Amino acid sequence: MCAARTHGAGNSYWLDSAPPGARPHPPLDGDLSADVVVVGAGIAGLCTAHELVRAGADVVLLEADRIAAGVTGHTTGKLTALHGLRYAALSRAHGAAAAARYADAQQHALDRVVRLAAELGGDAELEHRPAFTYTPDDESVPEIRAEAAAASEAGLDATVVTETGLPYPVAAAVRVDGQLQFHPRRFLLALAEDYVAHGGRLHEGTRVTGLREGAACHLTVEGGVTVDARDVVLATHFPLRCHSSLLVRLSVRRELVVAAAVAERHAPYGMYLTPEGGTRSVRTAPLAEGRRLLIVTGETFEPGSGGVRERYGRLDAWAREHLPGFAEAPEVHRWAAQDVHTPDGLPCVGHEHPDTQHVFLATGFGGWGLSNGVAAGHLLAAHVTGAPRPAWTELVDPRRLLPVRELPGVVRRQTAVARHYVAGFRPGPRCTHMGCELGFNAAEQTWECPCHGSRFATDGRVLQGPATEPLEHPPRPAGKKLGR
């Protein structure tokens, strides 16, 4: 773990507290073919591949790094159908029926994880806990009441409460019981083991660099190896390939996490979120000897925007002020999460664009990738196999039309992206994906793209896509200008 109150950031707790895997899954070193290739071994990709292989398909799963080492391995591990103030917004924009279909997708995901965890065995630290969306501000109580009403109409057992179990007062909160929290990497390691046991092929350390769709889809892997398949599923967070009609809708945000061991008596029982104050999320995870890990998330920002050390400081200070035991912890673990957002707050799961028949994707989970990733796996498997599709299929179709009210937000986003392209013509590092100017994250020592979220190490290596090529000559990150 990092030393207490330092500004550094490293691996997430989930990566450091789980074994690397029952056995290594070597990089792909020769050409092959399959019925389906799934790209990305996070929760969406693994759930898709697992369901496909159980249905009898010949599946190859390719992961650029390690299982659950990317976005899934840096989440807070909340698996809940309560997503902030999502249901009121969905009801306003799409109607109550759409909100109900969204709730059904989330509940399906929770039920599926419970079943799989029981079937697979192992210790995924699955715990049933209530979820709360709360406000400390009396003026925001009407929003909480509206969210509870919309969530209840959508089918969730949502109530308005003022007692939450937090060690500080709240004005009001939406409460939904029976939600889940778990260890995402341990769960996915068990899922991967079962996938391989059923005949699935899995290659880690295998970065896909190209995709061509035709009578058979043709993928190129770093180093020149190729893979042919009838269908391809892109479950890579921001898609490796993205049609312009979808590209303009997607935006990327990062969020910081601090975590420390506290005595069990100081650990709040539920899972908590307030959208206010730059977002604050709280949950705990089990540790030995009467302690729990207190996990606090917040300080949402655009990749490459700088000031990350200061953001960590604010989040750490908030945790020390509001959560007993946090200030006395000898060590604090720090990491950052990243996710893709859409203007209408709905994921994009299905055909990549109107003209494609054999390329599918899952993206735009908006910070709720665990439940949406499990649901995406079920839907994508149905697309590929021709099985009956769930009622929420059209709701998350990437080809859907945006409501008119969301268009100004898209225009503002693309105006901001255009500024990064123009700035990229100045001397300095530019993203190898589409040429946006990169910003330096001094806390994590990474170059980051504000346009589409690609991240690079200081030696130029690709840490996170959609970029597939390294930086050729990254400048040395030194001085106040780069550290921002």
Side-chain angles (χ1 to χ4, degrees):
M1 284 189 174
C2 303
R5 317 308 169 205
T6 64
H7 293 298
N11 276 344
S12 78
Y13 169 77
W14 314 122
L15 297 182
D16 286 348
S17 62
R23 62 189 178 97
H25 302 284
L28 182 62
D29 60 2
D31 298 347
L32 55 77
S33 62
D35 294 337
V36 188
V37 173
V38 178
V39 185
I43 195 162
L46 256 171
C47 285
T48 304
H50 183 263
E51 192 156 338
L52 284 171
V53 81
R54 286 282 193 97
D58 177 22
V59 185
V60 172
L61 177 58
L62 304 178
E63 166 55 47
D65 191 357
R66 295 177 296 155
I67 296 168
V71 176
T72 300
H74 290 79
T75 67
T76 55
K78 291 180 177 180
L79 192 64
T80 172
L82 183 63
H83 295 173
L85 301 175
R86 180 66 51 88
Y87 290 97
L90 286 177
S91 295
R92 288 193 300 269
H94 301 278
R101 290 194 293 273
Y102 184 83
D104 181 60
Q106 311 313 309
Q107 193 57 54
H108 165 87
L110 269 65
D111 294 343
R112 181 158 181 77
V113 168
V114 170
R115 291 195 304 271
L116 283 171
E119 178 184 338
L120 299 174
D123 182 15
E125 299 179 359
L126 195 68
E127 298 178 310
H128 286 82
R129 297 291 168 99
F132 299 86
T133 297
Y134 72 92
T135 180
D137 186 356
D138 289 335
E139 293 185 1
S140 297
V141 170
E143 285 185 274
I144 293 295
R145 293 190 179 280
E147 179 63 19
S152 179
E153 187 175 5
L156 301 184
D157 185 15
T159 58
V160 178
V161 299
T162 55
E163 294 296 326
T164 63
L166 286 169
Y168 50 88
V170 305
V174 183
R175 174 173 178 151
V176 177
D177 288 324
Q179 305 303 285
L180 302 175
Q181 57 187 27
F182 71 155
H183 193 303
R185 179 161 164 79
R186 288 185 177 177
F187 174 76
L188 288 193
L189 287 175
L191 196 65
E193 186 176 344
D194 191 72
Y195 161 77
V196 172
H198 281 80
R201 289 177 280 176
L202 171 57
H203 296 279
E204 296 176 291
T206 302
R207 183 178 297 280
V208 174
T209 58
L211 167 60
R212 185 180 72 245
E213 184 179 8
C217 296
H218 185 78
L219 296 94
T220 306
V221 173
E222 200 171 47
V225 176
T226 63
V227 185
D228 292 320
R230 182 192 67 235
D231 296 299
V232 174
V233 172
L234 301 177
T236 56
H237 182 55
F238 202 104
L240 165 72
R241 186 181 92 169
C242 192
H243 191 268
S244 58
S245 61
L246 180 60
L247 183 70
V248 297
R249 304 185 186 194
L250 303 180
S251 60
V252 183
R253 308 291 290 176
R254 285 183 72 73
E255 199 167 37
L256 304 182
V257 185
V258 295
V262 301
E264 195 154 8
R265 69 180 183 276
H266 291 321
Y269 183 74
M271 300 179 288
Y272 307 89
L273 174 73
T274 178
E276 300 176 28
T279 305
R280 294 292 183 263
S281 168
V282 175
R283 67 153 284 194
T284 66
L287 297 172
E289 301 174 354
R291 300 181 304 154
R292 290 187 71 87
L293 188 72
L294 185 55
I295 304 169
V296 183
T297 310
E299 296 294 321
T300 304
F301 63 100
E302 181 183 83
S305 60
V308 180
R309 288 177 173 172
E310 293 76 14
R311 298 178 200 276
Y312 269 119
R314 287 196 296 268
L315 190 61
D316 185 88
W318 184 91
R320 285 186 284 127
E321 177 184 354
H322 289 84
L323 300 168
F326 198 95
E328 291 75 36
E331 294 180 308
V332 175
H333 212 91
R334 291 176 169 83
W335 70 90
Q338 183 163 303
D339 211 348
V340 179
H341 296 253
T342 63
D344 60 1
L346 289 167
C348 293
V349 182
H351 290 88
E352 181 208 358
H353 62 85
D355 297 323
T356 190
Q357 295 297 319
H358 298 285
V359 179
F360 306 88
L361 55 77
T363 188
F365 295 147
W368 300 103
L370 293 182
S371 60
N372 276 309
V374 176
H378 176 66
L379 174 54
L380 291 169
H383 272 297
V384 172
T385 63
R389 297 169 196 169
W392 33 273
T393 299
E394 292 184 4
L395 185 69
V396 298
D397 192 326
R399 302 167 296 184
R400 66 184 181 268
L401 296 176
L402 279 178
V404 174
R405 61 185 294 173
E406 307 295 347
L407 295 179
V410 173
V411 172
R412 286 193 298 271
R413 167 63 186 160
Q414 291 310 304
T415 300
V417 167
R419 286 198 295 268
H420 291 298
Y421 281 121
V422 172
F425 289 101
R426 300 196 301 256
R430 297 173 61 185
C431 183
T432 59
H433 175 230
M434 295 184 70
C436 283
E437 181 188 40
L438 300 176
F440 188 67
N441 179 334
E444 298 179 78
Q445 292 291 295
T446 53
W447 293 101
E448 298 175 347
C449 175
C451 296
H452 310 117
S454 295
R455 301 174 64 243
F456 304 85
T458 53
D459 64 3
R461 287 177 296 114
V462 178
L463 299 176
Q464 189 165 355
T468 60
E469 298 295 328
L471 301 176
E472 288 190 9
H473 304 290
R476 185 176 178 178
K480 292 182 179 180
K481 184 176 181 180
L482 291 178
R484 284 197 252 187

